[in-house]
Amino acid sequence: MSLKAIHVSEVPSLDHFPENPSLCSSRFSRKTESFKIPKFLVVGHRGHGMNMLQSADPRFSALKENSILSFNAASKHPLDFIEFDVQVTRDGCPVIFHDDFIYSEDKGVVYEKRVTDVSLSEFMSYGPQRETGKSGKPLLRKSKEGKILKWSVEGDDSLCTLQEAFEKVEPKLGFNIELKLDDNLLYLSDHLSRLLLPILQVVSDYGKDRPIIFSSFHPDAALLVRKLQSTYPVFFLTNGGTEMYYDTRRNSLEEAIKICVDGSLQGIVSEVKGVFRNPSAVNKIKESKLSLMTYGKLNNVAEAVYMQHLMGIEGVIVDHVEEITEAVMDMLKPSNRDADDTKPKPNFSERELSFLLKLIPELIQH
């Protein structure tokens, strides 16, 4: 089952959420209705990049994703934001974790627990522990193929809370906070409120001047967080039609535009394949005065990122942080412009770009 449609009008008034001017970074206008991304953004996916434990590429197992270690490693590069996933534990604490379930084992028997069903203390008991000499419960992960794998990375770190991220990560680094919900659960309006309010409270208490963007794949969560606060922009995440859901609002860029316009959201984050398959949607998004960013594996290809910049896309979420930030700096540096031209010139050879143009249609079919 997919997320059940919940009308935002059903949610009781929550006017007590503070509209504190100090919460908004000077990089963005406090008027989120007129929000505009000031430059081409590079965003670190789950910090310094996601973990793909079955991948032969060592970059996907270099640092524990969604950890303070990964966030601070990302901050050493010319990134604008990091993106990470936030869920709320049973006792109301926002924690940073991507998967819906935590997997572990006891005496050789693998078991799973839903993140939102465990307490904060139990959540923190998995994986490496901060206390010297203390061992945590084994942390395993289920692959998309259904295999249970040991969560082994070169640079490991303990799990963390949203509050810790605000306290321990470079304050100038922006946070793209994805409101993580389970596609297979139904969320009634009061339940959705209980999951979002603790996140907003932590942001209110610790956000200060840090640039912040909220995002969610779930239309009602995005609409509700927009209703509950107007300090920070809210983006709707979509696969752009590359996957189909029971909730038809999630199935195309056109539906994403409608959600954003009707709900006064500020932008869309699409799977990059969805944009390459439907490039005409970029102009429709611009005409609707919405910002557009992308995510996906193709964003780890510098030439694909450059093409998006030329298309007018305003930012990319990437795993290969070091390589892509260097490529973007190179392609946008002032010395890379003609004196009589305001557009940057590509540093890629004609052969490379020609190859990419031929390759992209094949890539987006998979």
Side-chain angles (χ1 to χ4, degrees), residues 29-170:
S29 166
R30 287 195 66 237
K31 301 284 187 181
T32 53
E33 291 80 1
S34 59
F35 171 79
K36 182 172 176 58
I37 293 177
K39 60 189 282 286
F40 188 76
L41 300 182
V42 180
V43 182
H45 187 209
R46 304 183 200 172
H48 199 268
M50 70 181 291
N51 294 150
M52 290 178 59
L53 304 179
Q54 68 278 27
S55 174
D57 187 336
R59 290 173 293 187
F60 286 113
S61 57
L63 298 172
K64 173 69 73 62
E65 69 176 35
N66 280 338
S67 68
I68 301 298
L69 176 65
S70 180
F71 298 159
N72 282 325
S75 73
K76 292 177 169 52
H77 300 284
L79 278 177
D80 302 285
F81 280 76
I82 53 172
E83 178 271 351
F84 52 77
D85 313 273
V86 176
Q87 305 184 57
V88 176
T89 60
R90 185 185 66 207
D91 46 352
C93 182
V95 295
I96 300 177
F97 197 76
H98 174 270
D99 301 354
D100 297 319
F101 292 89
I102 283 186
Y103 288 85
S104 188
E105 63 178 345
D106 183 21
K107 298 177 181 177
V109 178
V110 174
Y111 64 90
E112 65 178 41
K113 289 194 176 183
R114 186 178 291 280
V115 172
T116 53
D117 286 345
V118 302
S119 66
L120 174 62
S121 60
E122 181 175 0
F123 174 80
M124 297 299 293
S125 71
Y126 294 97
Q129 300 295 291
R130 295 193 180 97
E131 223 177 295
T132 305
K134 186 176 180 180
S135 297
K137 299 172 186 175
L139 187 57
L140 310 177
R141 193 173 207 182
K142 189 175 185 179
S143 71
K144 285 187 176 180
E145 298 74 31
K147 294 182 179 179
I148 302 297
L149 305 169
K150 185 178 180 182
W151 202 326
S152 297
V153 292
E154 185 177 341
D156 213 345
D157 197 14
S158 58
L159 301 180
C160 67
T161 67
L162 179 59
Q163 178 179 331
E164 287 177 309
F166 277 111
E167 293 174 332
K168 297 179 179 180
V169 176
E170 163 61 46

Side-chain angles (χ1 to χ4, degrees), residues 306 309-310 326-349 353:
Y306 182 74
H309 173 63
L310 294 182
E326 287 179 1
V328 169
M329 286 185 67
D330 190 42
M331 67 177 69
L332 300 181
K333 64 185 178 182
S335 61
N336 202 28
R337 300 171 186 264
D338 288 344
D340 59 347
D341 192 357
T342 58
K343 280 194 173 184
K345 301 297 183 183
N347 275 340
F348 308 113
S349 68
L353 287 173

Side-chain angles (χ1 to χ4, degrees), residues 11 31 49 87 117 123 132 148 182 188-189 284 294 307 321:
V11 180
K31 301 284 187 181
Q87 305 184 57
D117 286 345
F123 174 80
T132 305
I148 302 297
D182 190 336
L188 298 177
S189 57
K284 295 176 185 175
T294 66
M307 287 184 67
V321 168

Side-chain angles (χ1 to χ4, degrees), residues 237-251:
L237 275 158
T238 176
N239 287 304
T242 60
E243 294 181 47
M244 292 293 114
Y245 295 88
Y246 177 77
D247 187 339
T248 57
R249 296 175 298 172
R250 301 180 62 180
N251 290 344

Side-chain angles (χ1 to χ4, degrees), residues 40 276 298-310 316 323-333 336 344-357 360:
F40 188 76
F276 282 151
L298 277 177
N299 283 353
N300 295 319
V301 179
E303 292 89 346
V305 171
Y306 182 74
M307 287 184 67
Q308 292 178 70
H309 173 63
L310 294 182
V316 289
E323 293 86 343
I324 298 303
T325 52
E326 287 179 1
V328 169
M329 286 185 67
D330 190 42
M331 67 177 69
L332 300 181
K333 64 185 178 182
N336 202 28
K345 301 297 183 183
N347 275 340
F348 308 113
S349 68
E350 290 184 11
R351 181 181 177 185
E352 288 172 325
L353 287 173
S354 176
F355 174 73
L356 183 68
L357 286 169
I360 281 180

